[in-house]
Amino acid sequence: MLRQEGFDLVLLQEVWSERDYSDLKAKLGGCYPFSHYFRSGVIGSGLCVFSRFPILDTLLYQYSLNGYPYMLQHGDWFCGKSVGLVVIKISGIVFNVYVTHLHAEYCREKDAYLPHRLVQAWELAQFIRHTSKAADVVLLGGDLNMHPEDVGIRLLRGWTGLRDAFAEATRFEGCEDGCTLIPNNCFTVKTELLPFPLGIRIDYILYKAVSSFTVKCEELKTTTGTAPGMDIPFSDHEAVMATLHIRRQGQAADGNLGTAEPTLVDVVTEARTEVGVGLRAAQRQRYSTGRMAVLALLLLLLQATLGTLAGLAAGQPFPKLSFSLLAFFAIGILLLATGLHLFHTIEVKMLQGTEEQLRMALRTLQEHPSDG
Amino acid sequence: MLRQEGFDLVLLQEVWSERDYSDLKAKLGGCYPFSHYFRSGVIGSGLCVFSRFPILDTLLYQYSLNGYPYMLQHGDWFCGKSVGLVVIKISGIVFNVYVTHLHAEYCREKDAYLPHRLVQAWELAQFIRHTSKAADVVLLGGDLNMHPEDVGIRLLRGWTGLRDAFAEATRFEGCEDGCTLIPNNCFTVKTELLPFPLGIRIDYILYKAVSSFTVKCEELKTTTGTAPGMDIPFSDHEAVMATLHIRRQGQAADGNLGTAEPTLVDVVTEARTEVGVGLRAAQRQRYSTGRMAVLALLLLLLQATLGTLAGLAAGQPFPKLSFSLLAFFAIGILLLATGLHLFHTIEVKMLQGTEEQLRMALRTLQEHPSDG
């Protein structure tokens, strides 16, 4: 399909295996002579870009928080979730193209990962703002794992000024409401989509013009379930395809921030509250894992003392089986609790850092409501 | 001293304790009303900035490689080494100020951390290039842990176009050759400095003008050993202080890359070779830790089989003490080897990624020697 459609640019997520990327590269080389694979984490970032135009430069930013290593069943932590940037130039217009994949949402009612996803959304917004200042056009595509009304996407859009191709498109063709995770896809988990009979829209193409250009989304399309001539779909998510019309204009476009600052203040405040909730949870976990490590250490010391005393008394050089098992158990708990304590220490630091940055952003917005 | 001298901007490294930062902030609040502490890693990034002028924005980029978690005696891994960016505006001139601290060099003859430090130098250069495009002036200050002639600093300077304040200064006052780690400082390790009787210069102030400005270093100073009126020095490193003269000029300054591209090609090639050496070492370690994990798993399976057979035969529900100790030993090795294998997998990925980016940079330099 990628070969048939002949896009200018293809942004893929969840290409975990580098061999898959190499296969794609070999098969797509004819239509997309330029490509880049972003490496990170144990498994990888899963991000790659195929382009008809030369890739001039790349940069990878790895999010500072990305779930928990012990949530093996979710596995996000091992993926090294990141945002990748490729710079391309088409007809003299500089495009900063960002591809990303944020932390998944496994339970919308009790979303333990919301603070992490918000930190990611904030870091994504900051990374785009700081790196796109010389670009003419900014494009962001990817699986943001956020519904259109979620605080994270409002923060990202408000803070960067990026516009949603789905909302702006002149023509639309595809799944109802632009949904990209739909129930009648054989790879989706049906129970998770029960509250959303049409599905949910969590994959986006966002854009903005930075300098004296305008961008308009002429057409937006999504794939709709099964691939033509096959009985399985292309992927568990529907692909999003946008046709963008870019025009040079005399006048400079809007500033970096969105236009409605009073709303942005509310969004940043809301995000800060959620990050604060996550911070307090992380502080509790840091405390309880630290306490567990101390208890395990005390148990070990107690055992060592008792063991030495018993050994001296009975002339027996080695404690009994149950005794040594208990010691190993204590060592195991000590190591585990110490590791978790270190992890939650990092988590606390990063959440504090983000909360402080959001506070700074709020101050900037309130002091300079017009220029941000 | 910071209060007496009344600098415009102070960049500090190795402020590991947030309480130390808070103390500094309280004491320096009068002269430096604006400040930022960059949080990252278990211990922290150690980076902070104090400024006479408002800090408009900040961004932190954590290096993807930073030593080994099991090198506890070196400890760099736990620090979350990063580069911090603060944006300030003085008289309408936008300054992008970067503060960083790269991985230490513990043994110059056999520097196992050279590939990691090179990855950091490359990421630092890329981060500066991508984020400084709207700045008028770029400043970088910090402990780069590289001698002036090292490949990492040549790569950083060549790829960003940053100039060395020490080399450019009209006046210089301080330690001979601008050294910042000197033998007659009571905190330095004398044996490490034996080959360098004057000391070494590893702390830098680098700068460049991006848009239509020129920067000139009028004076560069270093502290020289003990603090006035005290018998201990301020720190184990000498502080570097620069007086910069910034002037608006009609004509735009040089492009992003340094002027001497043929040299830059050599530097990038040299860096790529060193990263390649690190990559092969990491691949060997990934292989050997993976093999160790498999062996430990086999030992465990063998024990489980033997244990079950023995238990069934003798009707004894529990294996003997030595048997269970061996099992715990095998579990310990399995966990450790798996952890190390995952770590070296990440290391291989990041070194591969950097090597590929350097290859791309070389191609760009060779194809477009003039505009890079």
Side-chain angles (χ1 to χ4, degrees), chain B residues 7 12 21 33 64 81 85 203 207 249 265 275 327 329 366:
Chain B
F7 300 107
L12 298 179
Y21 167 72
S64 57
K81 292 272 168 73
L85 158 66
D203 299 270
Y207 59 79
Q249 65 166 20
V265 168
V275 169
F329 177 73
Q366 281 156 350

Side-chain angles (χ1 to χ4, degrees), chain B residues 173-336:
Chain B
E173 199 184 308
C175 298
E176 213 170 324
D177 286 352
C179 291
T180 58
L181 199 69
I182 57 172
N184 67 348
N185 178 310
C186 61
F187 298 127
T188 56
V189 182
K190 303 296 167 288
T191 49
E192 282 177 11
L193 288 175
L194 275 182
F196 310 99
L198 290 177
I200 54 179
R201 185 160 76 90
I202 56 175
D203 299 270
Y204 296 83
I205 293 175
L206 306 175
Y207 59 79
K208 71 166 174 174
V210 175
S211 51
S212 50
F213 288 86
T214 49
V215 190
K216 216 173 140 339
C217 181
E218 295 195 333
E219 188 175 46
L220 194 80
K221 291 202 280 189
T222 72
T223 54
T224 49
T226 52
M230 296 174 86
D231 53 356
I232 55 158
F234 291 111
S235 164
D236 61 334
H237 288 225
E238 300 305 320
V240 185
M241 296 157 281
T243 308
L244 302 176
H245 184 90
I246 289 138
R247 211 174 54 175
R248 200 179 293 267
Q249 65 166 20
Q251 205 189 335
D254 292 349
N256 273 339
L257 299 183
T259 41
E261 269 84 11
T263 330
L264 188 51
V265 168
D266 295 344
V267 173
V268 176
T269 308
E270 194 181 335
R272 210 188 129 196
T273 309
E274 291 293 350
V275 169
V277 170
L279 174 59
R280 280 180 292 284
Q283 280 167 331
R284 278 195 301 274
Q285 284 178 298
R286 182 180 61 171
Y287 174 76
S288 61
T289 49
R291 192 181 49 185
M292 198 189 287
V294 170
L295 287 178
L297 189 66
L298 286 178
L299 179 61
L300 262 181
L301 290 176
L302 186 71
Q303 277 200 295
T305 318
L306 289 179
T308 315
L309 289 177
L312 286 177
Q316 195 191 352
F318 230 81
K320 291 219 164 54
L321 174 63
S322 60
F323 210 77
S324 71
L325 281 179
L326 191 61
F328 273 111
F329 177 73
I331 291 174
I333 296 289
L334 177 63
L335 289 178
L336 194 71

Side-chain angles (χ1 to χ4, degrees), chain A residues 4-282:
Chain A
Q4 275 169 18
E5 297 276 344
F7 300 107
D8 287 333
L9 201 59
V10 177
L11 312 178
L12 298 180
Q13 300 89 44
E14 301 207 31
V15 182
W16 303 123
S17 145
E18 204 166 331
R19 194 167 295 166
D20 284 351
Y21 166 73
S22 302
D23 285 354
L24 282 169
K25 195 176 161 176
K27 284 182 183 162
L28 298 175
C31 329
Y32 308 93
F34 307 97
S35 65
H36 189 78
Y37 186 69
F38 291 99
R39 291 180 181 84
S40 87
V42 179
I43 299 175
S45 72
L47 306 172
C48 61
V49 175
F50 290 91
S51 166
R52 273 219 304 142
F53 303 94
I55 293 172
L56 303 178
D57 212 339
T58 67
L59 187 65
L60 184 76
Y61 182 96
Q62 208 170 328
Y63 299 123
S64 57
L65 286 180
N66 187 34
Y68 304 98
Y70 50 82
M71 296 303 270
L72 291 175
Q73 76 278 29
H74 292 162
D76 292 64
W77 187 82
F78 293 91
C79 300
K81 291 270 167 77
S82 311
V83 46
L85 157 64
V86 299
V87 181
I88 59 173
K89 205 187 252 185
I90 308 178
S91 316
I93 307 171
V94 176
F95 287 77
N96 267 28
V97 182
Y98 300 86
V99 55
T100 195
H101 181 193
L102 303 193
H103 196 293
E105 182 185 77
Y106 294 100
C107 170
R108 195 161 174 81
E109 287 68 49
K110 213 183 158 187
D111 182 12
Y113 299 110
L114 177 59
H116 285 211
R117 204 180 307 103
L118 270 174
V119 168
Q120 294 183 345
W122 174 251
E123 288 179 345
L124 173 60
Q126 282 286 82
F127 181 71
I128 292 176
R129 280 184 65 232
H130 280 283
T131 53
S132 66
K133 285 176 178 167
D136 297 314
V137 177
V138 174
L139 299 179
L140 165 63
D143 175 359
L144 302 184
N145 272 313
M146 300 186 283
H147 297 212
E149 72 280 6
D150 284 359
V151 58
I153 195 129
R154 284 183 283 132
L155 180 71
L156 170 67
R157 289 185 47 202
W159 193 241
T160 57
L162 284 166
R163 286 180 297 153
D164 183 351
F166 175 76
E168 309 270 334
T170 313
R171 287 191 304 283
F172 174 76
E173 199 185 308
C175 297
E176 213 170 326
D177 286 353
C179 291
T180 57
L181 199 69
I182 56 173
N184 67 348
N185 178 309
C186 60
F187 299 126
T188 55
V189 182
K190 304 295 168 290
T191 49
E192 282 176 10
L193 289 173
L194 275 183
F196 310 99
L198 289 178
I200 55 179
R201 185 160 76 90
I202 57 175
D203 299 271
Y204 296 83
I205 293 175
L206 306 175
Y207 60 80
K208 71 167 174 174
V210 176
S211 51
S212 51
F213 287 86
T214 49
V215 190
K216 214 170 138 345
C217 180
E218 294 195 334
E219 188 175 45
L220 194 80
K221 291 202 280 189
T222 73
T223 55
T224 49
T226 52
M230 298 175 83
D231 54 356
I232 55 160
F234 291 111
S235 164
D236 61 334
H237 289 224
E238 300 305 319
V240 185
M241 295 157 280
T243 308
L244 302 176
H245 184 91
I246 289 138
R247 210 174 54 176
R248 201 179 293 266
Q249 64 165 21
Q251 203 189 339
D254 293 349
N256 274 340
L257 298 182
T259 41
E261 269 83 11
T263 330
L264 187 50
V265 168
D266 295 344
V267 173
V268 177
T269 309
E270 195 181 334
R272 211 188 129 194
T273 309
E274 290 294 350
V275 170
V277 170
L279 174 59
R280 281 182 291 284

Side-chain angles (χ1 to χ4, degrees), chain B residues 31-43:
Chain B
C31 328
Y32 307 93
F34 307 97
S35 64
H36 188 77
Y37 186 69
F38 291 98
R39 291 180 181 86
S40 86
V42 178
I43 299 176

Side-chain angles (χ1 to χ4, degrees), chain A residues 329-350:
Chain A
F329 177 73
I331 291 173
I333 295 289
L334 176 63
L335 289 178
L336 194 71
T338 308
L340 287 177
H341 181 70
L342 292 181
F343 177 80
H344 288 299
T345 303
I346 299 179
E347 191 189 10
V348 164
K349 264 188 211 296
M350 299 324 300

